[in-house]
Amino acid sequence: MSVIGEDHLRGVMFKDINADEDDAQPTEIESLCMNCYENGKTRLLLTKIPFFREIIISSFTCPHCHWTNTEIQSAGRIQEQGVCYTLHIKSKEDMNREVVKTDSATTRIPELDFEIPAFTQKGSLSTIEGLLDRAVAGLEQDQPTRRATDPEVADKIDQFIQRLQKLKDVAEEFTLIINDPSGNSFIENPFAPQKDQALTVSYYKRTPEQNIGPLWGTVEEEKAGNDVDTMRNEVLVFSTNCPECNVPASTNMKLVQIPHFKEVIIMATNCDSCGHRTNEVKSGGATEELGTRITLHITDPSDMSRDLLKSETCSVLIPELEFELGMAALGGKFTTLEGLLKDIKELIVMKNPFVCGDSAVSDTSEKLELFGKKIDKIMSGEMDAHIVLDDLAGNSYLQNVYAPDPDPEMKIEKYTRTFEQNEDLGLNDMKTEGYGEAET
């Protein structure tokens, strides 16, 4: 099959979720019912949700025993980092938040000492209330047998189910934690693009155990050592697969020295098949001893042309818009200030799954459209604003156009990281001294 044929086939198979389109029809296949072992029907819909990439929605029904089962599976790649969502639930409105939970995610409610381990449930696209309903249904499933064989255990489970039912009515505040090493789970922020005070999102590097076989069927890539002088003078090319169409492609990598800063590694992938392009920036140096906070007062449209390096550990804040973008949300980027603002607008307004289709809410759409217009005004110089780059690792950079003299509109602060911030970077358990010493 030609490359063009593969690209066309992928476009036909995966359709965007859109309430106004009728051509995204599910595929029906005959399959075995695991309840009565008669033949039933499975309906498959291959679709794309903005921000979550491609997914496979499946629904099984058996006409003989009337057993049903629905689930979702990610058809995209595993993200570079795991993600952990911590939501403090205070009201009934929080129960309506939409949730994407993959089968690799662990769900916990600390107040009840309750945990649903990874791979014990299939992936689902639901709400917070739907997650609790599913947990209750799972606990009730074997209760008739328990009441006959072990009444004491059955009574304790009944009491626990009642506590879960009370949480559905938000009789008391509680915390929901979804930890997904694959990075493909998600909890809705109904206040987007503003920061959600009740929701905390943190990203982390997977452990070697999480990267190997039992979880993903993949082996952590071996890191080949390259001579630094060679990397400075040439562009290294290595083979990879396109993250969109999975066709073989090439990634270019170059070590670049940023004036008045440090060395960075720029990686770019361009797919000749589907036209998809990605670029990523990695710091070429070590984590700094202090974090860095860069604040720029945008006073002129010429500020948009300032070079900017945003590392994976850098958060972006725009105080005038009450907006905060967590670290790793856009990955590492070497661009201009205008390019960063355009990427933020695209991520929040254009790729937000709750702006289009069945998930769209008029109030949310209006707020996001207004946010996009304010971003445009900042870029055109019509709106006074500040932009803050807060990098825990100290590896981000914003061009000083007055260098080597100080920039009157830019403030650079160094600060000592807290224990929690070092924990996010994985520094608390890292040993960097004494490896070359002989054992005594």
Side-chain angles (χ1 to χ4, degrees):
M1 183 182 292
S2 67
V3 171
I4 297 178
E6 290 180 2
D7 185 43
H8 173 71
L9 178 60
R10 192 174 183 86
V12 171
M13 291 174 62
F14 290 91
K15 296 289 185 179
D16 292 328
I17 285 185
N18 193 328
D20 298 327
E21 293 185 1
D22 298 325
D23 59 346
Q25 297 297 328
T27 301
E28 292 189 358
I29 57 174
E30 190 172 305
S31 52
L32 182 68
C33 174
M34 301 308 295
N35 187 48
C36 68
Y37 300 103
E38 297 287 344
N39 283 341
K41 280 190 177 181
T42 296
R43 306 178 74 197
L44 296 174
L45 179 62
L46 284 66
T47 187
K48 290 187 290 186
I49 300 180
F51 199 78
F52 304 126
R53 294 184 173 86
E54 297 163 349
I55 64 169
I56 302 173
I57 304 175
S58 65
S59 174
F60 175 82
T61 56
C62 177
H64 304 282
C65 66
H66 306 292
W67 185 68
T68 62
N69 182 41
T70 60
E71 63 181 84
I72 69 165
Q73 294 179 355
S74 174
R77 63 189 179 110
I78 296 169
Q79 303 306 305
E80 292 186 0
Q81 292 182 309
V83 65
C84 181
Y85 289 87
T86 303
L87 175 64
H88 189 56
I89 298 174
K90 301 179 180 180
S91 64
K92 286 284 289 184
E93 287 74 17
D94 288 329
M95 303 300 291
N96 296 324
R97 292 177 185 242
E98 299 212 25
V99 179
V100 173
K101 175 186 172 297
T102 68
D103 52 2
S104 61
T106 299
T107 305
R108 292 197 300 117
I109 302 177
E111 288 82 357
L112 300 186
D113 196 20
F114 175 66
E115 177 176 314
I116 302 175
F119 300 104
T120 58
Q121 288 184 347
K122 296 295 184 180
S124 63
L125 174 59
S126 182
T127 61
I128 302 293
E129 184 176 4
L131 286 182
L132 294 181
D133 283 336
R134 196 175 184 187
V136 170
L139 292 172
E140 289 179 337
Q141 184 175 0
D142 295 325
Q143 279 296 84
T145 303
R146 293 192 192 99
R147 291 190 182 98
T149 58
D150 198 338
E152 185 176 347
V153 172
D155 289 340
K156 290 182 179 179
I157 293 179
D158 283 335
Q159 295 173 13
F160 190 83
I161 290 174
Q162 291 177 5
R163 295 185 66 186
L164 279 177
Q165 295 286 8
K166 288 181 179 179
L167 293 188
K168 283 178 51 181
D169 299 327
V170 197
E172 59 182 276
E173 297 181 4
F174 67 98
T175 305
L176 177 71
I177 301 174
I178 295 181
N179 188 342
D180 187 0
S182 77
N184 285 323
S185 291
F186 179 81
I187 295 181
E188 177 192 3
N189 172 10
F191 306 103
Q194 277 74 38
K195 183 178 180 181
D196 188 344
Q197 299 297 332
L199 181 64
T200 302
V201 185
S202 59
Y203 298 88
Y204 60 88
K205 292 185 178 180
R206 288 184 287 272
T207 64
E209 292 77 13
Q210 291 172 327
N211 266 329
I212 294 175
L215 289 182
W216 320 122
T218 59
V219 179
E220 189 176 16
E221 297 180 359
E222 296 181 359
K223 299 179 180 178
N226 293 291
D227 184 76
V228 176
D229 292 331
T230 303
M231 292 180 65
R232 285 196 185 100
N233 299 322
E234 65 179 81
V235 177
L236 302 180
V237 182
F238 56 91
S239 300
T240 183
N241 282 11
C242 173
E244 287 295 324
C245 66
N246 207 35
V247 169
S250 296
T251 294
N252 298 328
M253 183 171 68
K254 181 77 165 66
L255 188 63
V256 177
Q257 174 68 47
I258 298 180
H260 307 289
F261 190 54
K262 60 174 69 175
E263 290 178 333
V264 297
I265 299 172
I266 300 178
M267 304 172 68
T269 302
N270 186 9
C271 179
D272 295 330
S273 174
C274 67
H276 178 73
R277 295 182 179 183
T278 63
N279 64 77
E280 188 176 1
V281 177
K282 301 284 189 182
S283 172
T287 300
E288 298 292 329
E289 292 184 4
L290 300 175
T292 302
R293 185 180 296 107
I294 305 172
T295 304
L296 174 68
H297 183 200
I298 302 173
T299 57
D300 190 87
S302 62
D303 288 329
M304 293 295 109
S305 61
R306 291 180 185 243
D307 288 333
L308 179 148
L309 170 66
K310 175 195 172 298
S311 77
E312 292 180 332
T313 56
C314 179
S315 301
V316 181
L317 297 88
I318 306 177
E320 287 77 6
L321 302 186
E322 298 182 2
F323 172 77
E324 179 177 348
L325 183 73
M327 64 178 185
L330 283 174
K333 284 187 174 294
F334 184 42
T335 179
T336 61
L337 181 55
E338 182 180 15
L340 178 65
L341 292 175
K342 285 183 177 179
D343 288 340
I344 289 174
K345 178 182 175 182
E346 182 179 6
L347 176 68
I348 300 300
V349 180
M350 302 174 64
K351 290 186 176 181
N352 195 303
F354 303 106
V355 178
C356 59
D358 296 335
S359 298
V361 180
S362 59
D363 291 344
T364 302
S365 300
E366 292 173 2
K367 287 165 56 180
L368 294 178
E369 288 179 8
L370 178 61
F371 176 82
K373 292 178 180 177
K374 289 181 178 179
I375 290 288
D376 291 335
K377 287 184 178 179
I378 292 175
M379 289 190 290
S380 63
E382 299 176 28
M383 181 177 176
D384 187 71
H386 293 74
I387 187 161
V388 182
L389 303 179
D390 191 347
D391 191 345
L392 300 181
N395 287 326
S396 291
Y397 161 84
L398 183 59
Q399 181 185 8
N400 173 6
V401 294
Y402 298 91
D405 297 324
D407 189 330
E409 302 299 337
M410 187 163 66
K411 180 181 178 182
I412 301 178
E413 304 170 82
K414 298 288 185 178
Y415 61 89
T416 303
R417 289 184 291 268
T418 64
F419 179 87
E420 290 75 15
Q421 289 171 331
N422 280 328
E423 190 72 18
D424 290 338
L425 296 178
L427 298 177
N428 292 331
D429 299 323
M430 186 180 296
K431 181 181 179 183
T432 58
E433 298 177 355
Y435 280 105
E437 298 176 1
E439 294 184 4
T440 58

